[in-house]
Short mmCIF file of all heavy atoms in Angstrom, two decimals:
data_model
loop_
_atom_site.label_atom_id
_atom_site.label_comp_id
_atom_site.label_asym_id
_atom_site.label_seq_id
_atom_site.Cartn_x
_atom_site.Cartn_y
_atom_site.Cartn_z
N ILE A 49 28.51 13.51 -50.57
CA ILE A 49 29.67 13.08 -51.33
C ILE A 49 30.50 12.10 -50.50
O ILE A 49 30.47 12.16 -49.27
CB ILE A 49 30.56 14.29 -51.71
CG1 ILE A 49 30.85 15.14 -50.47
CG2 ILE A 49 29.95 15.11 -52.81
CD1 ILE A 49 31.96 16.10 -50.62
N PRO A 50 31.22 11.21 -51.16
CA PRO A 50 32.13 10.35 -50.40
C PRO A 50 33.38 11.11 -50.00
O PRO A 50 33.87 11.94 -50.76
CB PRO A 50 32.48 9.23 -51.41
CG PRO A 50 32.29 9.84 -52.74
CD PRO A 50 31.25 10.92 -52.61
N ILE A 51 33.87 10.86 -48.80
CA ILE A 51 35.13 11.47 -48.37
C ILE A 51 36.03 10.35 -47.86
O ILE A 51 35.62 9.55 -47.01
CB ILE A 51 34.90 12.52 -47.25
CG1 ILE A 51 34.16 13.73 -47.83
CG2 ILE A 51 36.23 12.97 -46.63
CD1 ILE A 51 33.80 14.80 -46.82
N HIS A 52 37.21 10.29 -48.40
CA HIS A 52 38.13 9.22 -48.01
C HIS A 52 38.62 9.48 -46.58
O HIS A 52 39.01 10.61 -46.26
CB HIS A 52 39.33 9.19 -48.97
CG HIS A 52 40.07 7.89 -48.93
ND1 HIS A 52 40.82 7.50 -47.84
CD2 HIS A 52 40.17 6.88 -49.83
CE1 HIS A 52 41.35 6.31 -48.08
NE2 HIS A 52 40.97 5.92 -49.29
N SER A 55 41.89 11.19 -46.40
CA SER A 55 42.11 12.46 -47.11
C SER A 55 43.02 13.35 -46.26
O SER A 55 42.82 13.48 -45.05
CB SER A 55 40.76 13.17 -47.33
OG SER A 55 41.00 14.52 -47.67
N SER A 57 43.24 16.52 -46.83
CA SER A 57 42.74 17.89 -46.93
C SER A 57 41.43 18.12 -46.19
O SER A 57 41.25 19.15 -45.54
CB SER A 57 42.58 18.27 -48.40
OG SER A 57 41.67 17.38 -49.03
N ILE A 58 40.50 17.16 -46.32
CA ILE A 58 39.18 17.41 -45.72
C ILE A 58 38.76 16.26 -44.81
O ILE A 58 39.25 15.14 -44.92
CB ILE A 58 38.09 17.66 -46.79
CG1 ILE A 58 38.00 16.49 -47.78
CG2 ILE A 58 38.34 18.95 -47.52
CD1 ILE A 58 36.81 16.62 -48.72
N CYS A 71 26.78 19.43 -50.09
CA CYS A 71 28.13 19.11 -50.58
C CYS A 71 28.06 18.58 -52.02
O CYS A 71 28.99 18.79 -52.81
CB CYS A 71 28.82 18.10 -49.65
SG CYS A 71 27.83 16.64 -49.29
N ILE A 72 26.92 17.95 -52.36
CA ILE A 72 26.78 17.48 -53.75
C ILE A 72 26.66 18.69 -54.69
O ILE A 72 27.23 18.72 -55.77
CB ILE A 72 25.54 16.57 -53.90
CG1 ILE A 72 25.70 15.33 -53.02
CG2 ILE A 72 25.33 16.17 -55.35
CD1 ILE A 72 24.47 14.44 -53.03
N GLU A 73 25.90 19.69 -54.21
CA GLU A 73 25.75 20.90 -55.03
C GLU A 73 27.12 21.50 -55.34
O GLU A 73 27.40 21.93 -56.45
CB GLU A 73 24.92 21.97 -54.28
CG GLU A 73 23.49 21.57 -54.01
CD GLU A 73 22.66 21.50 -55.27
OE1 GLU A 73 22.94 22.26 -56.20
OE2 GLU A 73 21.74 20.65 -55.33
N ALA A 74 27.98 21.54 -54.32
CA ALA A 74 29.29 22.15 -54.50
C ALA A 74 30.18 21.28 -55.38
O ALA A 74 30.79 21.75 -56.34
CB ALA A 74 29.96 22.38 -53.14
N CYS A 75 30.23 20.00 -55.05
CA CYS A 75 31.20 19.11 -55.70
C CYS A 75 30.79 18.74 -57.13
O CYS A 75 31.60 18.77 -58.04
CB CYS A 75 31.39 17.85 -54.85
SG CYS A 75 32.79 16.87 -55.36
N ARG A 76 29.50 18.44 -57.30
CA ARG A 76 29.05 18.09 -58.64
C ARG A 76 28.63 19.33 -59.43
O ARG A 76 29.02 19.52 -60.57
CB ARG A 76 27.87 17.12 -58.57
CG ARG A 76 27.38 16.72 -59.96
CD ARG A 76 26.40 15.59 -59.95
NE ARG A 76 25.20 15.89 -59.18
CZ ARG A 76 24.21 15.03 -58.97
NH1 ARG A 76 24.29 13.81 -59.45
NH2 ARG A 76 23.16 15.37 -58.26
N GLN A 79 31.79 22.36 -59.01
CA GLN A 79 33.14 21.93 -59.36
C GLN A 79 33.20 20.82 -60.42
O GLN A 79 34.28 20.50 -60.90
CB GLN A 79 33.89 21.47 -58.09
CG GLN A 79 34.09 22.59 -57.06
CD GLN A 79 34.96 23.72 -57.60
OE1 GLN A 79 34.58 24.41 -58.52
NE2 GLN A 79 36.13 23.91 -57.02
N SER A 80 32.10 20.23 -60.72
CA SER A 80 32.02 19.15 -61.72
C SER A 80 33.03 18.03 -61.44
O SER A 80 33.68 17.53 -62.34
CB SER A 80 32.17 19.68 -63.15
OG SER A 80 33.50 20.03 -63.46
N VAL A 81 33.12 17.66 -60.17
CA VAL A 81 33.99 16.53 -59.79
C VAL A 81 33.14 15.30 -59.50
O VAL A 81 33.19 14.31 -60.24
CB VAL A 81 34.86 16.90 -58.56
CG1 VAL A 81 35.63 15.67 -58.05
CG2 VAL A 81 35.84 18.01 -58.93
N PHE A 82 32.32 15.36 -58.46
CA PHE A 82 31.50 14.21 -58.09
C PHE A 82 30.55 13.84 -59.23
O PHE A 82 29.97 14.71 -59.87
CB PHE A 82 30.70 14.52 -56.81
CG PHE A 82 29.83 13.38 -56.37
CD1 PHE A 82 30.40 12.17 -56.01
CD2 PHE A 82 28.46 13.52 -56.34
CE1 PHE A 82 29.60 11.11 -55.61
CE2 PHE A 82 27.66 12.46 -55.93
CZ PHE A 82 28.23 11.25 -55.57
N TYR A 85 32.67 10.78 -62.78
CA TYR A 85 33.41 9.54 -62.97
C TYR A 85 32.44 8.43 -62.64
O TYR A 85 31.41 8.63 -62.02
CB TYR A 85 34.64 9.49 -62.06
CG TYR A 85 34.34 9.76 -60.61
CD1 TYR A 85 33.99 8.72 -59.76
CD2 TYR A 85 34.37 11.05 -60.09
CE1 TYR A 85 33.69 8.96 -58.43
CE2 TYR A 85 34.07 11.30 -58.77
CZ TYR A 85 33.74 10.25 -57.94
OH TYR A 85 33.43 10.49 -56.62
N VAL A 93 38.83 7.62 -53.86
CA VAL A 93 37.65 8.49 -53.89
C VAL A 93 38.12 9.71 -54.66
O VAL A 93 39.18 10.25 -54.38
CB VAL A 93 37.24 8.91 -52.46
CG1 VAL A 93 36.24 10.05 -52.51
CG2 VAL A 93 36.64 7.71 -51.72
N ILE A 94 37.38 10.08 -55.66
CA ILE A 94 37.87 11.16 -56.51
C ILE A 94 37.57 12.51 -55.84
O ILE A 94 36.42 12.89 -55.66
CB ILE A 94 37.22 11.10 -57.90
CG1 ILE A 94 37.43 9.72 -58.52
CG2 ILE A 94 37.77 12.20 -58.80
CD1 ILE A 94 38.87 9.25 -58.53
N CYS A 95 38.62 13.20 -55.51
CA CYS A 95 38.51 14.48 -54.82
C CYS A 95 39.74 15.28 -55.20
O CYS A 95 40.85 14.74 -55.23
CB CYS A 95 38.49 14.23 -53.31
SG CYS A 95 38.65 15.72 -52.32
N VAL A 96 39.54 16.54 -55.51
CA VAL A 96 40.70 17.37 -55.87
C VAL A 96 41.10 18.30 -54.73
O VAL A 96 41.89 19.21 -54.91
CB VAL A 96 40.47 18.14 -57.19
CG1 VAL A 96 40.23 17.18 -58.34
CG2 VAL A 96 39.32 19.13 -57.07
N ASP A 97 40.50 18.09 -53.56
CA ASP A 97 40.90 18.76 -52.31
C ASP A 97 40.54 20.24 -52.26
O ASP A 97 41.06 20.98 -51.41
CB ASP A 97 42.42 18.62 -52.07
CG ASP A 97 42.90 17.19 -52.18
OD1 ASP A 97 42.50 16.37 -51.35
OD2 ASP A 97 43.67 16.88 -53.12
N CYS A 98 39.65 20.71 -53.14
CA CYS A 98 39.39 22.16 -53.22
C CYS A 98 38.68 22.72 -51.99
O CYS A 98 38.74 23.92 -51.73
CB CYS A 98 38.57 22.48 -54.46
SG CYS A 98 36.88 21.81 -54.39
N GLY A 99 37.97 21.88 -51.26
CA GLY A 99 37.31 22.34 -50.03
C GLY A 99 36.04 23.13 -50.26
O GLY A 99 35.47 23.68 -49.31
N GLN A 100 35.52 23.17 -51.48
CA GLN A 100 34.28 23.93 -51.69
C GLN A 100 33.11 23.29 -50.96
O GLN A 100 32.17 23.97 -50.55
CB GLN A 100 34.00 24.07 -53.20
CG GLN A 100 34.93 25.04 -53.89
CD GLN A 100 34.89 26.45 -53.29
OE1 GLN A 100 33.84 27.03 -53.12
NE2 GLN A 100 36.06 26.98 -52.95
N CYS A 101 33.18 21.97 -50.75
CA CYS A 101 32.10 21.31 -49.99
C CYS A 101 32.04 21.87 -48.56
O CYS A 101 30.95 21.99 -47.98
CB CYS A 101 32.31 19.79 -49.98
SG CYS A 101 34.01 19.29 -49.60
N ILE A 102 33.19 22.25 -48.02
CA ILE A 102 33.22 22.83 -46.67
C ILE A 102 32.44 24.14 -46.66
O ILE A 102 31.71 24.44 -45.71
CB ILE A 102 34.69 23.13 -46.25
CG1 ILE A 102 35.50 21.85 -46.17
CG2 ILE A 102 34.74 23.90 -44.94
CD1 ILE A 102 37.00 22.08 -45.94
N TRP A 104 29.98 24.99 -48.37
CA TRP A 104 28.53 24.85 -48.59
C TRP A 104 27.84 24.09 -47.45
O TRP A 104 26.63 24.12 -47.32
CB TRP A 104 28.28 24.10 -49.91
CG TRP A 104 28.46 24.95 -51.13
CD1 TRP A 104 29.61 25.57 -51.54
CD2 TRP A 104 27.47 25.30 -52.10
NE1 TRP A 104 29.40 26.26 -52.69
CE2 TRP A 104 28.09 26.11 -53.07
CE3 TRP A 104 26.11 24.99 -52.25
CZ2 TRP A 104 27.40 26.62 -54.17
CZ3 TRP A 104 25.44 25.49 -53.35
CH2 TRP A 104 26.07 26.30 -54.29
N ILE A 110 31.58 19.03 -42.61
CA ILE A 110 32.83 18.90 -43.36
C ILE A 110 33.75 20.06 -42.97
O ILE A 110 33.32 21.22 -42.93
CB ILE A 110 32.58 18.91 -44.89
CG1 ILE A 110 31.51 17.88 -45.26
CG2 ILE A 110 33.87 18.61 -45.65
CD1 ILE A 110 31.16 17.85 -46.74
N ALA A 209 44.50 22.16 -56.85
CA ALA A 209 43.24 21.47 -57.14
C ALA A 209 43.02 21.41 -58.65
O ALA A 209 42.56 20.41 -59.19
CB ALA A 209 42.08 22.20 -56.46
N LYS A 212 45.34 18.69 -60.04
CA LYS A 212 44.81 17.33 -59.81
C LYS A 212 43.60 17.07 -60.72
O LYS A 212 43.43 15.98 -61.26
CB LYS A 212 44.43 17.20 -58.33
CG LYS A 212 44.43 15.77 -57.82
CD LYS A 212 44.28 15.74 -56.30
CE LYS A 212 44.05 14.33 -55.79
NZ LYS A 212 43.67 14.30 -54.38
N PHE A 213 42.77 18.08 -60.90
CA PHE A 213 41.60 17.98 -61.79
C PHE A 213 42.07 17.63 -63.20
O PHE A 213 41.51 16.76 -63.86
CB PHE A 213 40.87 19.33 -61.78
CG PHE A 213 39.61 19.39 -62.59
CD1 PHE A 213 38.41 18.90 -62.08
CD2 PHE A 213 39.61 19.97 -63.85
CE1 PHE A 213 37.23 18.99 -62.82
CE2 PHE A 213 38.44 20.06 -64.60
CZ PHE A 213 37.25 19.57 -64.08
N TYR A 217 40.95 14.33 -65.19
CA TYR A 217 39.94 14.44 -66.25
C TYR A 217 40.48 14.83 -67.62
O TYR A 217 39.83 14.60 -68.63
CB TYR A 217 38.87 15.45 -65.84
CG TYR A 217 38.05 15.03 -64.64
CD1 TYR A 217 38.20 15.65 -63.40
CD2 TYR A 217 37.13 13.99 -64.74
CE1 TYR A 217 37.45 15.26 -62.30
CE2 TYR A 217 36.38 13.60 -63.66
CZ TYR A 217 36.54 14.24 -62.44
OH TYR A 217 35.79 13.84 -61.37
N THR A 263 42.41 24.41 -48.94
CA THR A 263 42.61 23.07 -48.39
C THR A 263 43.48 22.22 -49.33
O THR A 263 44.18 21.32 -48.89
CB THR A 263 41.27 22.36 -48.18
OG1 THR A 263 40.46 22.53 -49.35
CG2 THR A 263 40.53 22.92 -46.97
N ALA A 264 43.44 22.53 -50.62
CA ALA A 264 44.23 21.76 -51.59
C ALA A 264 45.73 21.91 -51.34
O ALA A 264 46.52 21.03 -51.69
CB ALA A 264 43.89 22.19 -53.01
N LEU A 391 35.88 24.98 -61.15
CA LEU A 391 36.22 23.85 -62.03
C LEU A 391 35.09 23.52 -63.01
O LEU A 391 35.34 22.97 -64.08
CB LEU A 391 36.61 22.64 -61.18
CG LEU A 391 37.93 22.83 -60.43
CD1 LEU A 391 38.20 21.68 -59.47
CD2 LEU A 391 39.10 23.00 -61.40
S1 SF4 B 1 37.16 18.96 -51.61
FE1 SF4 B 1 36.32 19.62 -53.62
S2 SF4 B 1 36.55 17.81 -54.93
FE2 SF4 B 1 36.82 17.11 -52.81
S3 SF4 B 1 34.78 16.41 -52.16
FE3 SF4 B 1 34.95 18.59 -51.55
S4 SF4 B 1 34.08 19.76 -53.29
FE4 SF4 B 1 34.51 17.67 -54.02
#
Side-chain angles (χ1 to χ4, degrees):
I49 50 165
I51 292 177
H52 198 291
S55 164
S57 59
I58 57 172
C71 51
I72 298 175
E73 296 291 329
C75 192
R76 180 169 60 183
Q79 297 297 66
S80 75
V81 172
F82 180 62
Y85 52 89
V93 167
I94 305 308
C95 170
V96 299
D97 309 294
C98 67
Q100 288 302 309
C101 46
I102 297 172
W104 283 62
I110 308 178
K212 204 170 171 190
F213 183 82
Y217 295 109
T263 46
L391 292 173

